[in-house]
Coordinates of all heavy atoms in Angstrom, one line a residue:
Q1 N 100.5 96.7 99.4 CA 99.8 96.5 98.1 C 98.6 97.4 97.9 O 98.3 97.8 96.8 CB 99.4 95.1 97.9 CG 100.5 94.1 97.7 CD 101.3 94.3 96.4 OE1 100.7 94.7 95.4 NE2 102.6 94.1 96.5
A2 N 98.0 97.8 99.0 CA 96.8 98.7 99.0 C 97.1 100.0 98.4 O 96.3 100.7 97.8 CB 96.2 98.8 100.3
M3 N 98.4 100.4 98.5 CA 98.8 101.8 98.0 C 99.8 101.6 96.9 O 100.5 102.6 96.5 CB 99.4 102.6 99.1 CG 98.4 103.1 100.1 SD 99.1 104.3 101.3 CE 99.4 105.6 100.2
A4 N 100.0 100.4 96.3 CA 100.9 100.2 95.3 C 100.7 101.2 94.1 O 101.7 101.7 93.5 CB 100.9 98.8 94.8
G5 N 99.5 101.4 93.7 CA 99.2 102.3 92.6 C 99.7 103.7 92.8 O 100.3 104.3 92.0
W6 N 99.5 104.2 94.1 CA 100.0 105.5 94.4 C 101.5 105.6 94.3 O 102.1 106.5 93.8 CB 99.5 105.8 95.9 CG 100.0 107.2 96.3 CD1 99.3 108.4 96.1 CD2 101.2 107.5 97.1 NE1 100.0 109.4 96.7 CE2 101.2 108.9 97.3 CE3 102.2 106.8 97.6 CZ2 102.2 109.5 98.0 CZ3 103.2 107.4 98.2 CH2 103.2 108.7 98.4
L7 N 102.2 104.5 94.8 CA 103.6 104.5 94.8 C 104.1 104.4 93.4 O 105.1 105.2 93.0 CB 104.2 103.3 95.5 CG 105.7 103.1 95.4 CD1 106.5 104.2 96.1 CD2 106.1 101.7 96.1
F8 N 103.5 103.6 92.5 CA 103.9 103.5 91.1 C 103.8 104.9 90.4 O 104.6 105.2 89.6 CB 103.2 102.4 90.4 CG 103.6 101.0 90.8 CD1 104.3 100.7 91.9 CD2 103.2 99.9 90.0 CE1 104.7 99.4 92.2 CE2 103.6 98.6 90.3 CZ 104.4 98.4 91.4
T9 N 102.7 105.5 90.7 CA 102.5 106.9 90.1 C 103.6 107.8 90.5 O 104.2 108.6 89.7 CB 101.1 107.4 90.5 OG1 100.1 106.6 90.1 CG2 100.9 108.9 90.0
Q10 N 104.0 107.8 91.8 CA 105.0 108.7 92.3 C 106.4 108.4 91.6 O 107.1 109.3 91.1 CB 105.2 108.6 93.8 CG 104.0 108.9 94.6 CD 103.4 110.2 94.3 OE1 104.0 111.3 94.4 NE2 102.1 110.3 94.0
L11 N 106.7 107.1 91.5 CA 108.0 106.7 90.9 C 108.0 107.0 89.4 O 109.0 107.3 88.9 CB 108.2 105.2 91.2 CG 108.5 104.9 92.7 CD1 108.6 103.4 92.9 CD2 109.8 105.6 93.2
T12 N 106.8 106.8 88.8 CA 106.8 107.1 87.3 C 107.0 108.6 87.1 O 107.7 109.0 86.2 CB 105.4 106.7 86.8 OG1 105.3 105.3 87.0 CG2 105.3 107.0 85.3
E13 N 106.4 109.5 87.9 CA 106.6 110.9 87.8 C 108.1 111.3 88.0 O 108.6 112.1 87.3 CB 105.7 111.7 88.8 CG 104.3 111.7 88.4 CD 103.4 112.4 89.5 OE1 103.9 113.0 90.4 OE2 102.2 112.3 89.3
I14 N 108.7 110.7 89.0 CA 110.1 110.9 89.2 C 111.0 110.5 88.0 O 111.8 111.2 87.6 CB 110.6 110.2 90.5 CG1 109.9 110.8 91.8 CG2 112.1 110.1 90.6 CD1 110.0 110.0 93.0
R15 N 110.7 109.3 87.5 CA 111.4 108.8 86.3 C 111.2 109.7 85.1 O 112.2 110.1 84.4 CB 111.0 107.4 86.0 CG 111.8 106.8 84.8 CD 111.4 105.3 84.6 NE 111.8 104.5 85.7 CZ 113.0 104.1 85.9 NH1 114.0 104.4 85.1 NH2 113.2 103.3 86.9
T16 N 110.0 110.1 84.9 CA 109.7 110.9 83.7 C 110.4 112.3 83.8 O 111.0 112.7 82.9 CB 108.1 111.2 83.6 OG1 107.5 109.9 83.5 CG2 107.8 112.1 82.5
Y17 N 110.4 112.9 85.0 CA 111.0 114.1 85.2 C 112.5 114.0 85.0 O 113.2 114.8 84.4 CB 110.7 114.7 86.6 CG 111.2 116.1 86.8 CD1 110.4 117.2 86.4 CD2 112.4 116.4 87.3 CE1 110.8 118.5 86.4 CE2 112.8 117.7 87.3 CZ 112.0 118.8 86.9 OH 112.4 120.0 87.0
H18 N 113.1 112.9 85.6 CA 114.5 112.7 85.4 C 114.9 112.5 83.9 O 115.9 113.1 83.5 CB 115.0 111.4 86.2 CG 116.4 111.1 86.1 ND1 117.4 111.8 86.7 CD2 117.0 110.1 85.4 CE1 118.6 111.3 86.4 NE2 118.4 110.3 85.6
Q19 N 114.1 111.7 83.2 CA 114.4 111.5 81.8 C 114.3 112.8 81.0 O 115.1 113.1 80.1 CB 113.5 110.5 81.2 CG 113.8 109.1 81.7 CD 112.7 108.1 81.4 OE1 111.6 108.4 81.0 NE2 113.1 106.8 81.5
R20 N 113.3 113.7 81.4 CA 113.2 115.0 80.7 C 114.4 115.8 80.9 O 114.9 116.5 80.1 CB 111.9 115.6 81.2 CG 111.5 116.9 80.4 CD 110.2 117.4 80.8 NE 109.6 116.4 81.7 CZ 108.5 116.6 82.5 NH1 108.0 117.8 82.5 NH2 108.0 115.7 83.3
E21 N 114.9 115.8 82.2 CA 116.1 116.6 82.5 C 117.3 116.1 81.8 O 118.2 116.9 81.4 CB 116.3 116.7 84.0 CG 115.2 117.4 84.8 CD 115.1 118.9 84.3 OE1 116.2 119.6 84.4 OE2 114.0 119.4 84.0
Q22 N 117.4 114.8 81.7 CA 118.5 114.2 81.0 C 118.5 114.6 79.5 O 119.6 114.9 79.0 CB 118.5 112.7 81.1 CG 118.8 112.1 82.5 CD 120.2 112.4 82.9 OE1 121.1 112.2 82.2 NE2 120.3 113.0 84.2
R23 N 117.4 114.6 78.9 CA 117.3 115.0 77.5 C 117.7 116.5 77.3 O 118.4 116.8 76.4 CB 115.9 114.8 77.0 CG 115.6 113.4 76.5 CD 114.3 113.4 75.7 NE 113.1 113.8 76.4 CZ 112.4 113.0 77.2 NH1 112.7 111.8 77.4 NH2 111.3 113.5 77.8
K24 N 117.2 117.3 78.3 CA 117.7 118.7 78.2 C 119.2 118.9 78.3 O 119.8 119.7 77.7 CB 117.0 119.5 79.3 CG 115.5 119.8 79.1 CD 115.0 120.6 80.3 CE 113.5 120.8 80.2 NZ 113.0 121.5 81.4
A25 N 119.7 118.1 79.2 CA 121.2 118.2 79.4 C 121.9 117.7 78.1 O 122.9 118.3 77.8 CB 121.6 117.4 80.6
R26 N 121.5 116.7 77.5 CA 122.1 116.2 76.3 C 121.9 117.2 75.1 O 122.8 117.3 74.3 CB 121.5 114.8 75.9 CG 122.0 113.7 76.7 CD 121.7 112.3 76.0 NE 120.2 112.1 75.9 CZ 119.4 111.6 76.8 NH1 119.9 111.2 77.9 NH2 118.1 111.4 76.6
Q27 N 120.8 117.9 75.1 CA 120.6 118.9 74.1 C 121.4 120.2 74.3 O 121.4 121.0 73.5 CB 119.1 119.2 73.9 CG 118.3 118.0 73.4 CD 116.8 118.3 73.6 OE1 116.4 119.3 74.1 NE2 116.0 117.3 73.0
G28 N 122.0 120.2 75.4 CA 122.8 121.4 75.7 C 122.0 122.6 76.0 O 122.4 123.7 75.5
T29 N 121.0 122.5 76.8 CA 120.2 123.7 77.1 C 121.1 124.8 77.7 O 121.8 124.5 78.7 CB 119.1 123.3 78.1 OG1 118.3 122.2 77.6 CG2 118.1 124.5 78.5
P30 N 121.1 126.0 77.2 CA 122.0 127.0 77.7 C 121.6 127.5 79.1 O 120.4 127.5 79.4 CB 121.8 128.2 76.7 CG 120.5 127.9 76.0 CD 120.3 126.4 76.1
R31 N 122.6 127.8 79.9 CA 122.4 128.2 81.2 C 122.7 129.7 81.3 O 123.6 130.2 80.6 CB 123.3 127.5 82.2 CG 123.0 126.0 82.3 CD 123.8 125.4 83.3 NE 123.3 124.0 83.5 CZ 124.0 123.0 83.1 NH1 125.1 123.1 82.4 NH2 123.5 121.8 83.3
A32 N 121.9 130.4 82.0 CA 122.0 131.9 82.1 C 123.4 132.3 82.6 O 123.9 133.3 82.1 CB 120.9 132.5 83.0
T33 N 123.9 131.7 83.6 CA 125.2 132.1 84.3 C 126.4 131.5 83.7 O 127.5 131.9 83.9 CB 125.2 131.8 85.8 OG1 125.1 130.4 85.9 CG2 124.0 132.4 86.4
G34 N 126.3 130.4 82.9 CA 127.4 129.7 82.4 C 128.0 128.7 83.4 O 128.9 128.0 83.1
K35 N 127.5 128.7 84.7 CA 127.9 127.8 85.7 C 127.0 126.6 85.7 O 125.8 126.7 85.3 CB 127.9 128.5 87.1 CG 128.8 129.7 87.2 CD 128.7 130.2 88.6 CE 129.6 131.5 88.7 NZ 129.5 132.1 90.0
P36 N 127.5 125.5 86.2 CA 126.6 124.3 86.3 C 125.4 124.7 87.3 O 125.6 125.3 88.3 CB 127.5 123.2 86.9 CG 128.9 123.7 86.7 CD 128.8 125.2 86.6
A37 N 124.3 124.2 87.0 CA 123.1 124.4 87.8 C 123.2 123.6 89.1 O 123.8 122.5 89.1 CB 121.8 124.0 87.0
D38 N 122.7 124.1 90.2 CA 122.7 123.4 91.4 C 121.6 122.4 91.3 O 120.4 122.7 91.3 CB 122.4 124.4 92.6 CG 122.3 123.7 93.9 OD1 122.6 122.5 94.0 OD2 121.8 124.3 94.9
Q39 N 121.9 121.1 91.3 CA 120.9 120.1 91.1 C 120.1 119.7 92.3 O 119.2 119.0 92.2 CB 121.6 118.8 90.5 CG 122.3 119.1 89.2 CD 122.5 117.7 88.5 OE1 122.4 116.7 89.0 NE2 122.8 117.9 87.2

C-alpha cells in the first residue's frame, strides 16, 4: 500500500499508451513499409 500510488501511475500510463495505440490502429495510420509493425 505504501507504493500503491506509484503502481497506479505506472498502470495508468500503460493503459493510456495502449488506448492511444488502439485508436491509431483503428484510424488506419499508414505504415511506411506496408508490413505489420513489430509490436
Side-chain angles (χ1 to χ4, degrees):
Q1 292 296 323
M3 289 188 69
W6 181 87
L7 174 64
F8 285 17
T9 300
Q10 303 305 305
L11 293 173
T12 300
E13 287 178 9
I14 291 167
R15 178 175 299 282
T16 301
Y17 191 86
H18 177 75
Q19 290 170 341
R20 190 174 349 165
E21 291 301 306
Q22 291 295 313
R23 275 193 301 275
K24 284 181 187 177
R26 281 192 303 270
Q27 293 171 354
T29 305
R31 293 188 173 102
T33 63
K35 296 180 183 178
D38 178 11
Q39 294 200 351

